Amino acid sequence: MKLILIGFGVVGQGFAEILQNKAGQLPGFAPSIIGVITATKGSLYRSRGLDIGALLSAAQTGSFAAYPEQAGLRRDMTASDIISAGSADVLVELSPTNLDTAQPALAYCHQALEAGLHLVLANKGPVALDHANLRNKAASKGLQLRYEATVMAGTPVMQLAEEALAGCAIQAARGILNGTTNYILTQMEAGMSYTEALTQAQALGYAETDPAGDVEGWDAAGKVLILASALFGSRLKMSDLDVSGITRISSDDITEAKAAGQRYKLIAEATPNGGAVKAMRLPLSDPLASVAGSTNAITLETDLMGAVTLIGAGAGKLETGSAILSDLLAIQRVAGSG
Ligand code: HSE
């Protein structure tokens, strides 16, 4: 399975580390990274495959200039050149999320589907803003569009909803969908300042490249758009959602809630009628109140199963890389059975 990666930051490097560590442990799975395109480190292409260890070492220096020479290596190709070079099976989109336009990633996603590549995303922008068109294009070409990493990292909410619960009608999804803000709220309750907690969340690789998207609720809102489209077929826009974040919650507010036996959580909700992201005070008896740190949780309300709740990692390097691996294995299962 020949892969092109757009983006090689925290998630891309986490995914590459996983491939390096799991090589040979996944029977029949033989991935090869043939292209990597980044905004800041440069780009590399080699149709016979790049060396993952050398990619990771070069990334540590901040530039692919440190990647050693190899026969057939190209350093001058754009994302568009590499997609149209015709050697790859899957485009893996891992570049920073842009929830305003989803560009430039969205254009590459469409180009990849048109060129016959399956598409796997950790970047939320294209799925949040253009899921229906991407899904239709993939379906019309017999290609797979997978985006497990976009909601709750490798915690398998999309596979749960779309595959394991395929026979259930899902009526609502509600939960904690942003790791950064949950981490900040947890640390503030333990006495840390907002600024220090945010700095830690950035150092741990939870926060977006621009963390304003996390703390103002937009990252969770992007996930609401993804869920609304995937679960209900809704074509909502950001402006249809009621969104607020945690920036107005002070340490005093958190102490006051604690004294009243309550805890602030940033709750995201998607229903067939719309969606919202809002900080709420929950009683400690609410199961969501005990979801701490960067952990996420989601409850799916279903017709046949009642409430099904999934709790697990919501962000992080290996946790998000795990979702990419899971999606690629799913592509292989389907392609292999076809
Ligand atoms: N910044 C996101 C979060 C990353 O904190 O949840 C995972 O989507």
Coordinates of all heavy atoms in Angstrom, one line a residue, residues 140-236:
S140 N -18.6 7.4 -6.0 CA -18.8 7.3 -7.5 C -17.5 6.6 -8.1 O -17.6 6.1 -9.2 CB -19.0 8.6 -8.1 OG -17.8 9.4 -8.1
K141 N -16.4 6.7 -7.4 CA -15.2 6.1 -8.0 C -14.8 4.7 -7.3 O -13.8 4.2 -7.6 CB -14.0 7.0 -7.7 CG -14.1 8.4 -8.3 CD -13.1 8.5 -9.4 CE -13.3 9.8 -10.2 NZ -12.5 9.7 -11.4
G142 N -15.7 4.3 -6.4 CA -15.4 3.0 -5.7 C -14.2 3.1 -4.8 O -13.5 2.1 -4.6
L143 N -14.0 4.3 -4.3 CA -12.9 4.6 -3.4 C -13.4 4.7 -1.9 O -14.5 5.0 -1.7 CB -12.1 5.8 -3.8 CG -11.5 5.7 -5.2 CD1 -11.1 7.1 -5.7 CD2 -10.3 4.8 -5.1
Q144 N -12.5 4.6 -1.0 CA -12.8 4.7 0.4 C -12.4 6.1 0.9 O -11.3 6.6 0.7 CB -12.2 3.6 1.3 CG -12.8 2.3 1.0 CD -12.5 1.3 2.1 OE1 -12.7 1.5 3.3 NE2 -11.8 0.3 1.7
L145 N -13.3 6.7 1.7 CA -13.0 7.9 2.4 C -13.1 7.6 3.9 O -14.2 7.2 4.4 CB -14.1 8.9 2.1 CG -14.2 10.2 3.0 CD1 -12.9 11.0 2.8 CD2 -15.4 11.0 2.6
R146 N -12.0 7.7 4.7 CA -12.0 7.4 6.1 C -11.4 8.5 6.9 O -10.5 9.1 6.5 CB -11.3 6.0 6.3 CG -11.8 4.9 5.5 CD -11.4 3.5 6.0 NE -12.0 3.2 7.2 CZ -13.1 2.4 7.4 NH1 -13.6 1.8 6.3 NH2 -13.6 2.2 8.6
Y147 N -12.0 8.7 8.1 CA -11.6 9.9 8.9 C -11.8 9.7 10.4 O -12.2 10.5 11.1 CB -12.4 11.1 8.4 CG -13.9 10.8 8.2 CD1 -14.8 11.0 9.3 CD2 -14.4 10.4 7.0 CE1 -16.1 10.7 9.1 CE2 -15.7 10.1 6.8 CZ -16.6 10.2 7.9 OH -17.9 9.9 7.8
E148 N -11.4 8.4 10.8 CA -11.5 8.1 12.2 C -10.8 9.1 13.1 O -11.3 9.5 14.2 CB -11.0 6.7 12.4 CG -11.2 6.1 13.8 CD -12.7 5.9 14.1 OE1 -13.3 5.0 13.7 OE2 -13.2 6.8 14.9
A149 N -9.6 9.5 12.6 CA -8.8 10.4 13.5 C -9.4 11.8 13.8 O -9.0 12.5 14.7 CB -7.4 10.6 12.8
T150 N -10.4 12.2 13.0 CA -10.9 13.5 13.1 C -11.8 13.7 14.3 O -11.9 14.9 14.8 CB -11.7 13.9 11.8 OG1 -12.9 13.1 11.7 CG2 -10.9 13.9 10.6
V151 N -12.3 12.7 14.9 CA -13.2 12.8 16.1 C -12.7 11.8 17.1 O -12.6 10.6 16.8 CB -14.7 12.5 15.8 CG1 -15.5 12.7 17.0 CG2 -15.2 13.4 14.6
M152 N -12.2 12.2 18.2 CA -11.7 11.4 19.3 C -10.5 10.6 19.0 O -10.4 9.4 19.4 CB -12.8 10.5 19.9 CG -13.9 11.2 20.5 SD -15.3 10.2 21.1 CE -14.6 9.4 22.5
A153 N -9.6 11.1 18.2 CA -8.3 10.4 17.8 C -8.6 9.0 17.4 O -9.5 8.7 16.6 CB -7.3 10.6 19.0
G154 N -7.9 8.0 18.0 CA -8.0 6.6 17.6 C -9.1 5.9 18.4 O -9.3 4.7 18.2
T155 N -9.8 6.6 19.2 CA -11.0 6.0 19.9 C -12.1 5.8 18.8 O -12.5 6.8 18.2 CB -11.5 6.9 21.1 OG1 -10.3 7.1 21.9 CG2 -12.6 6.2 21.8
P156 N -12.5 4.6 18.6 CA -13.2 4.3 17.3 C -14.7 4.7 17.2 O -15.5 3.9 17.0 CB -13.0 2.8 17.1 CG -13.0 2.3 18.5 CD -12.3 3.4 19.3
V157 N -14.9 6.0 17.4 CA -16.3 6.5 17.3 C -16.9 6.3 15.9 O -18.1 6.0 15.8 CB -16.5 7.9 17.9 CG1 -15.7 8.9 17.1 CG2 -18.0 8.3 17.9
M158 N -16.1 6.6 14.9 CA -16.7 6.5 13.5 C -17.0 5.1 13.2 O -18.0 4.7 12.6 CB -15.8 7.2 12.5 CG -15.5 8.7 12.7 SD -16.8 9.8 13.2 CE -18.1 9.4 12.0
Q159 N -16.0 4.2 13.5 CA -16.3 2.8 13.2 C -17.4 2.2 14.0 O -18.2 1.4 13.6 CB -15.0 2.0 13.5 CG -14.0 2.2 12.4 CD -12.8 1.3 12.5 OE1 -12.9 0.1 12.6 NE2 -11.6 1.8 12.5
L160 N -17.6 2.7 15.3 CA -18.7 2.3 16.1 C -20.0 2.7 15.5 O -20.9 1.9 15.3 CB -18.5 2.9 17.5 CG -19.7 2.7 18.5 CD1 -19.7 1.2 18.9 CD2 -19.6 3.6 19.7
A161 N -20.1 4.0 15.1 CA -21.4 4.5 14.6 C -21.7 3.9 13.2 O -22.8 3.5 13.0 CB -21.3 6.0 14.5
E162 N -20.7 3.8 12.4 CA -21.0 3.5 11.0 C -20.9 2.0 10.7 O -21.6 1.5 9.8 CB -20.0 4.2 10.0 CG -20.2 5.7 10.1 CD -19.2 6.5 9.2 OE1 -18.1 5.9 8.9 OE2 -19.5 7.7 8.9
E163 N -20.2 1.3 11.5 CA -20.0 -0.2 11.3 C -20.7 -1.0 12.4 O -21.6 -1.7 12.1 CB -18.6 -0.5 11.0 CG -18.1 0.2 9.7 CD -16.6 0.3 9.5 OE1 -15.9 -0.7 10.0 OE2 -16.1 1.2 8.9
A164 N -20.2 -0.9 13.6 CA -20.7 -1.8 14.7 C -22.2 -1.5 14.9 O -23.0 -2.4 15.2 CB -19.9 -1.6 15.9
L165 N -22.6 -0.2 14.9 CA -24.0 0.1 15.1 C -24.8 0.4 13.8 O -25.8 1.1 13.8 CB -24.1 1.4 16.0 CG -23.5 1.2 17.4 CD1 -23.6 2.6 18.2 CD2 -24.3 0.2 18.2
A166 N -24.3 -0.2 12.7 CA -24.9 0.1 11.4 C -26.4 -0.2 11.4 O -27.1 0.5 10.7 CB -24.2 -0.7 10.3
G167 N -26.9 -1.1 12.2 CA -28.3 -1.4 12.1 C -29.2 -0.6 13.0 O -30.4 -0.7 13.0
C168 N -28.6 0.3 13.8 CA -29.3 1.2 14.7 C -29.5 2.5 14.1 O -28.6 3.0 13.3 CB -28.5 1.4 16.0 SG -28.3 0.0 17.0
A169 N -30.6 3.2 14.4 CA -30.8 4.6 14.0 C -30.2 5.4 15.2 O -30.5 5.1 16.4 CB -32.2 4.9 13.9
I170 N -29.3 6.3 14.9 CA -28.7 7.1 15.9 C -29.5 8.4 16.0 O -29.7 9.1 15.0 CB -27.2 7.4 15.7 CG1 -26.4 6.0 15.8 CG2 -26.6 8.4 16.7 CD1 -25.0 6.0 15.4
Q171 N -29.9 8.8 17.2 CA -30.8 9.9 17.3 C -30.0 11.2 17.8 O -30.5 12.3 17.6 CB -31.9 9.6 18.3 CG -32.8 8.5 17.7 CD -33.3 7.4 18.6 OE1 -32.7 7.3 19.7 NE2 -34.3 6.7 18.3
A172 N -28.9 11.0 18.5 CA -28.2 12.1 19.1 C -26.8 11.6 19.5 O -26.6 10.5 19.8 CB -28.9 12.7 20.3
A173 N -25.8 12.6 19.4 CA -24.5 12.3 19.9 C -24.1 13.4 20.8 O -24.3 14.6 20.4 CB -23.5 12.2 18.7
R174 N -23.6 13.1 22.0 CA -23.3 14.2 23.0 C -22.1 13.8 23.8 O -22.0 12.6 24.2 CB -24.5 14.3 23.9 CG -24.3 15.3 25.0 CD -25.6 15.4 25.8 NE -25.5 16.5 26.9 CZ -25.1 16.3 28.1 NH1 -24.8 15.0 28.5 NH2 -25.1 17.3 29.0
G175 N -21.1 14.7 23.9 CA -20.0 14.3 24.7 C -18.9 15.4 24.8 O -19.1 16.6 24.6
I176 N -17.7 14.9 25.3 CA -16.6 15.8 25.4 C -15.7 15.5 24.2 O -15.1 14.3 24.2 CB -15.8 15.5 26.8 CG1 -16.8 15.9 27.9 CG2 -14.5 16.2 26.8 CD1 -16.3 15.4 29.3
L177 N -15.5 16.4 23.3 CA -14.8 16.1 22.0 C -13.6 16.9 21.8 O -13.0 16.8 20.7 CB -15.8 16.3 20.9 CG -17.1 15.5 20.9 CD1 -17.9 15.7 19.6 CD2 -16.7 14.0 21.0
N178 N -13.1 17.6 22.8 CA -11.9 18.4 22.7 C -10.9 18.0 23.8 O -11.3 18.3 25.0 CB -12.1 19.9 22.6 CG -10.8 20.6 22.4 OD1 -10.2 21.1 23.3 ND2 -10.4 20.7 21.2
G179 N -9.8 17.5 23.5 CA -8.9 17.0 24.6 C -8.2 18.2 25.2 O -8.0 18.2 26.5
T180 N -7.8 19.2 24.5 CA -7.1 20.4 25.0 C -7.9 21.1 26.1 O -7.4 21.3 27.2 CB -6.8 21.4 23.9 OG1 -6.0 20.7 22.9 CG2 -6.1 22.6 24.4
T181 N -9.2 21.4 25.8 CA -10.0 22.1 26.8 C -10.3 21.2 28.0 O -10.3 21.7 29.2 CB -11.3 22.6 26.2 OG1 -11.9 21.6 25.5 CG2 -11.0 23.8 25.3
N182 N -10.5 19.9 27.8 CA -10.7 19.0 29.0 C -9.5 19.0 29.8 O -9.6 18.9 31.1 CB -11.2 17.7 28.5 CG -12.1 17.0 29.5 OD1 -13.0 17.6 30.1 ND2 -11.7 15.8 29.9
Y183 N -8.3 18.9 29.2 CA -7.1 18.9 29.9 C -6.9 20.2 30.8 O -6.6 20.2 31.9 CB -5.9 18.8 29.0 CG -4.6 18.7 29.6 CD1 -4.1 17.5 30.1 CD2 -3.8 19.8 29.8 CE1 -2.9 17.4 30.8 CE2 -2.6 19.8 30.4 CZ -2.1 18.6 30.9 OH -0.9 18.5 31.6
I184 N -7.2 21.4 30.1 CA -7.1 22.6 30.8 C -8.0 22.7 32.0 O -7.6 23.1 33.1 CB -7.3 23.8 29.8 CG1 -6.2 23.9 28.8 CG2 -7.4 25.2 30.6 CD1 -6.5 24.9 27.6
L185 N -9.3 22.3 31.8 CA -10.3 22.4 32.9 C -9.9 21.5 34.0 O -10.0 21.9 35.2 CB -11.7 22.0 32.4 CG -12.3 23.0 31.4 CD1 -13.6 22.4 30.8 CD2 -12.6 24.4 32.1
T186 N -9.3 20.3 33.7 CA -8.9 19.4 34.8 C -7.7 20.0 35.5 O -7.7 19.9 36.8 CB -8.5 18.0 34.1 OG1 -9.6 17.5 33.4 CG2 -8.1 17.0 35.2
Q187 N -6.8 20.5 34.8 CA -5.6 21.1 35.5 C -6.0 22.3 36.3 O -5.4 22.6 37.4 CB -4.5 21.4 34.5 CG -4.0 20.3 33.7 CD -3.2 19.3 34.6 OE1 -3.8 18.7 35.5 NE2 -1.9 19.1 34.4
M188 N -6.9 23.2 35.8 CA -7.3 24.4 36.6 C -8.0 23.9 37.9 O -7.8 24.6 38.9 CB -8.2 25.2 35.7 CG -7.5 26.0 34.6 SD -8.6 27.0 33.6 CE -9.1 28.3 34.6
E189 N -8.8 22.9 37.8 CA -9.4 22.4 39.0 C -8.4 22.0 40.1 O -8.6 22.1 41.3 CB -10.4 21.3 38.8 CG -11.3 21.0 40.0 CD -12.3 19.9 39.7 OE1 -12.9 19.9 38.6 OE2 -12.5 19.1 40.6
A190 N -7.2 21.5 39.6 CA -6.2 21.0 40.5 C -5.3 22.2 40.9 O -4.3 22.0 41.6 CB -5.3 19.9 39.8
G191 N -5.6 23.4 40.4 CA -4.9 24.6 40.9 C -3.9 25.3 39.9 O -3.3 26.3 40.2
M192 N -3.8 24.7 38.7 CA -2.9 25.3 37.7 C -3.6 26.5 37.1 O -4.8 26.6 37.0 CB -2.6 24.2 36.7 CG -1.4 24.6 35.8 SD -1.1 23.2 34.6 CE -0.2 22.1 35.7
S193 N -2.8 27.5 36.6 CA -3.3 28.6 35.9 C -3.8 28.2 34.5 O -3.2 27.2 33.9 CB -2.3 29.7 35.8 OG -1.3 29.4 34.8
Y194 N -4.7 28.9 33.9 CA -5.2 28.7 32.5 C -4.0 28.7 31.5 O -3.8 27.8 30.7 CB -6.2 29.8 32.1 CG -6.6 29.7 30.7 CD1 -7.6 29.0 30.2 CD2 -5.9 30.5 29.8 CE1 -8.0 29.0 28.9 CE2 -6.2 30.5 28.4 CZ -7.3 29.8 28.0 OH -7.6 29.8 26.7
T195 N -3.1 29.7 31.7 CA -2.0 29.8 30.7 C -1.0 28.7 30.8 O -0.6 28.1 29.8 CB -1.2 31.1 31.0 OG1 -2.2 32.2 31.1 CG2 -0.3 31.5 29.9
E196 N -0.7 28.2 32.0 CA 0.2 27.1 32.2 C -0.4 25.8 31.7 O 0.3 25.0 31.0 CB 0.6 27.0 33.7 CG 1.8 26.1 33.9 CD 2.2 25.9 35.3 OE1 1.7 26.6 36.2 OE2 2.9 24.9 35.6
A197 N -1.7 25.6 31.9 CA -2.3 24.4 31.5 C -2.4 24.4 29.9 O -2.1 23.3 29.3 CB -3.8 24.3 32.0
L198 N -2.6 25.5 29.3 CA -2.6 25.6 27.8 C -1.2 25.3 27.3 O -1.1 24.5 26.3 CB -3.1 26.9 27.3 CG -3.1 27.2 25.8 CD1 -3.8 26.1 25.1 CD2 -3.6 28.5 25.5
T199 N -0.2 25.8 27.9 CA 1.2 25.6 27.5 C 1.5 24.1 27.6 O 2.1 23.5 26.7 CB 2.1 26.4 28.4 OG1 1.8 27.8 28.3 CG2 3.6 26.3 27.9
Q200 N 1.0 23.5 28.6 CA 1.3 22.0 28.8 C 0.5 21.3 27.7 O 1.1 20.3 27.1 CB 0.8 21.5 30.1 CG 1.8 21.8 31.3 CD 1.4 21.0 32.5 OE1 0.4 20.2 32.5 NE2 2.2 21.2 33.5
A201 N -0.7 21.6 27.4 CA -1.5 20.9 26.4 C -0.8 21.1 25.0 O -0.8 20.1 24.2 CB -2.9 21.5 26.3
Q202 N -0.2 22.2 24.8 CA 0.5 22.4 23.5 C 1.8 21.5 23.5 O 2.0 20.8 22.5 CB 0.9 23.9 23.3 CG -0.3 24.7 23.1 CD 0.1 26.2 23.0 OE1 0.5 26.9 23.9 NE2 0.1 26.7 21.7
A203 N 2.5 21.5 24.6 CA 3.7 20.7 24.7 C 3.4 19.2 24.5 O 4.2 18.4 24.0 CB 4.5 20.9 26.0
L204 N 2.3 18.8 25.0 CA 1.9 17.4 24.9 C 1.3 17.0 23.5 O 0.9 15.8 23.3 CB 0.9 17.0 26.0 CG 1.5 17.0 27.4 CD1 0.4 17.1 28.5 CD2 2.3 15.8 27.6
G205 N 1.2 18.0 22.7 CA 0.7 17.7 21.3 C -0.8 17.6 21.2 O -1.3 17.0 20.2
Y206 N -1.5 18.1 22.2 CA -3.0 18.0 22.1 C -3.6 19.1 21.3 O -4.6 19.0 20.6 CB -3.6 18.0 23.5 CG -3.2 17.0 24.5 CD1 -3.1 17.2 25.8 CD2 -2.8 15.7 24.0 CE1 -2.7 16.3 26.7 CE2 -2.3 14.8 24.9 CZ -2.3 15.0 26.3 OH -1.9 14.1 27.2
A207 N -3.0 20.3 21.5 CA -3.6 21.5 20.9 C -3.4 21.6 19.4 O -2.5 21.0 18.8 CB -3.0 22.8 21.6
E208 N -4.3 22.4 18.8 CA -4.2 22.7 17.3 C -3.0 23.6 17.1 O -2.5 24.2 18.1 CB -5.4 23.4 16.8 CG -6.7 22.5 16.8 CD -6.5 21.2 16.0 OE1 -6.3 21.3 14.8 OE2 -6.6 20.1 16.6
T209 N -2.5 23.7 15.9 CA -1.4 24.6 15.6 C -1.7 26.0 16.1 O -0.9 26.7 16.7 CB -1.2 24.6 14.0 OG1 -1.0 23.3 13.6 CG2 0.1 25.4 13.7
D210 N -3.0 26.4 15.9 CA -3.5 27.7 16.5 C -4.5 27.3 17.6 O -5.6 26.9 17.3 CB -4.2 28.6 15.5 CG -4.7 29.8 16.1 OD1 -4.6 30.0 17.4 OD2 -5.3 30.6 15.4
P211 N -4.1 27.3 18.9 CA -4.9 26.8 19.9 C -6.2 27.6 20.2 O -7.1 27.1 20.9 CB -4.0 26.8 21.2 CG -3.0 27.8 20.9 CD -2.8 27.8 19.4
A212 N -6.3 28.7 19.6 CA -7.6 29.5 19.7 C -8.8 28.6 19.3 O -9.9 28.7 19.8 CB -7.5 30.8 18.9
G213 N -8.5 27.8 18.2 CA -9.6 26.9 17.8 C -10.1 25.9 18.8 O -11.3 25.6 18.9
D214 N -9.2 25.5 19.7 CA -9.6 24.6 20.8 C -10.3 25.4 21.9 O -11.5 25.0 22.2 CB -8.3 24.0 21.5 CG -7.6 23.1 20.5 OD1 -8.1 22.0 20.2 OD2 -6.4 23.4 20.1
V215 N -9.7 26.4 22.4 CA -10.3 27.1 23.6 C -11.6 27.9 23.3 O -12.4 28.1 24.2 CB -9.2 28.0 24.3 CG1 -8.1 27.1 24.8 CG2 -8.7 29.1 23.4
E216 N -11.7 28.3 22.1 CA -13.0 29.0 21.7 C -14.1 28.1 21.2 O -15.2 28.5 20.8 CB -12.7 30.1 20.7 CG -11.8 31.2 21.2 CD -11.3 32.1 20.2 OE1 -11.6 32.0 19.0 OE2 -10.5 33.0 20.6
G217 N -13.8 26.8 21.2 CA -14.9 25.8 20.9 C -15.0 25.4 19.5 O -15.8 24.5 19.1
W218 N -14.1 26.0 18.6 CA -14.3 25.7 17.1 C -13.9 24.3 16.8 O -14.4 23.7 15.9 CB -13.5 26.8 16.3 CG -14.0 28.1 16.6 CD1 -13.4 29.2 17.1 CD2 -15.4 28.6 16.3 NE1 -14.2 30.3 17.3 CE2 -15.4 30.0 16.7 CE3 -16.5 28.1 15.7 CZ2 -16.6 30.7 16.6 CZ3 -17.7 28.8 15.6 CH2 -17.7 30.1 16.0
D219 N -12.8 23.8 17.4 CA -12.4 22.4 17.1 C -13.5 21.4 17.4 O -13.8 20.6 16.6 CB -11.1 22.1 18.0 CG -10.7 20.7 17.8 OD1 -10.1 20.4 16.7 OD2 -11.1 19.8 18.6
A220 N -14.1 21.6 18.6 CA -15.3 20.7 19.0 C -16.4 20.9 18.0 O -17.1 20.0 17.6 CB -15.7 20.9 20.4
A221 N -16.6 22.2 17.5 CA -17.7 22.5 16.6 C -17.4 21.8 15.3 O -18.3 21.3 14.6 CB -17.8 24.0 16.4
G222 N -16.2 21.7 14.8 CA -15.8 21.0 13.6 C -16.2 19.6 13.7 O -16.7 18.9 12.8
K223 N -16.0 19.0 14.9 CA -16.3 17.6 15.1 C -17.8 17.4 15.1 O -18.3 16.4 14.7 CB -15.7 17.1 16.4 CG -14.1 17.0 16.3 CD -13.4 17.0 17.7 CE -11.9 16.9 17.5 NZ -11.2 17.2 18.7
V224 N -18.5 18.4 15.6 CA -20.0 18.3 15.5 C -20.5 18.3 14.1 O -21.4 17.5 13.7 CB -20.6 19.5 16.3 CG1 -22.1 19.6 16.0 CG2 -20.4 19.3 17.8
L225 N -19.8 19.1 13.2 CA -20.2 19.1 11.8 C -19.9 17.8 11.2 O -20.7 17.3 10.4 CB -19.4 20.2 11.1 CG -19.8 21.7 11.4 CD1 -18.9 22.6 10.5 CD2 -21.3 22.0 11.2
I226 N -18.8 17.2 11.6 CA -18.4 15.9 11.0 C -19.5 14.8 11.4 O -20.0 14.0 10.6 CB -17.0 15.5 11.5 CG1 -16.0 16.4 10.8 CG2 -16.7 14.0 11.1 CD1 -14.6 16.3 11.4
L227 N -19.8 14.8 12.7 CA -20.8 13.8 13.2 C -22.1 14.1 12.6 O -22.8 13.1 12.2 CB -20.9 13.9 14.8 CG -19.6 13.4 15.5 CD1 -19.7 13.8 17.0 CD2 -19.5 11.9 15.4
A228 N -22.5 15.3 12.5 CA -23.9 15.6 11.9 C -24.0 15.1 10.5 O -25.0 14.6 10.1 CB -24.1 17.1 12.0
S229 N -22.9 15.3 9.7 CA -22.9 14.8 8.4 C -22.9 13.3 8.3 O -23.7 12.6 7.6 CB -21.8 15.4 7.6 OG -21.9 15.0 6.2
A230 N -22.0 12.7 9.1 CA -21.8 11.2 9.0 C -23.0 10.5 9.6 O -23.4 9.5 9.1 CB -20.5 10.9 9.8
L231 N -23.5 11.0 10.7 CA -24.6 10.2 11.4 C -26.0 10.6 10.9 O -26.9 9.7 10.9 CB -24.6 10.5 12.9 CG -23.3 10.3 13.7 CD1 -23.5 10.6 15.2 CD2 -22.8 8.9 13.4
F232 N -26.2 11.8 10.5 CA -27.5 12.3 10.1 C -27.7 12.8 8.7 O -28.8 13.2 8.3 CB -28.0 13.4 11.1 CG -27.8 13.1 12.5 CD1 -27.1 13.9 13.4 CD2 -28.3 11.9 13.1 CE1 -26.9 13.6 14.7 CE2 -28.1 11.6 14.4 CZ -27.4 12.5 15.2
G233 N -26.6 12.8 8.0 CA -26.6 13.3 6.6 C -26.9 14.8 6.6 O -27.3 15.3 5.5
S234 N -26.7 15.5 7.7 CA -27.0 17.0 7.7 C -25.9 17.7 6.9 O -24.7 17.4 7.0 CB -27.0 17.5 9.1 OG -27.8 16.7 9.9
R235 N -26.3 18.8 6.3 CA -25.3 19.7 5.7 C -25.3 21.0 6.4 O -25.7 22.0 5.9 CB -25.7 19.9 4.2 CG -25.5 18.7 3.3 CD -25.6 19.1 1.9 NE -25.4 17.9 1.0 CZ -24.7 17.9 -0.1 NH1 -24.1 19.0 -0.5 NH2 -24.7 16.9 -0.9
L236 N -24.8 20.9 7.7 CA -24.7 22.1 8.5 C -23.5 22.9 8.2 O -22.5 22.4 7.8 CB -24.7 21.7 10.0 CG -25.9 20.9 10.5 CD1 -25.7 20.6 12.0 CD2 -27.2 21.8 10.3

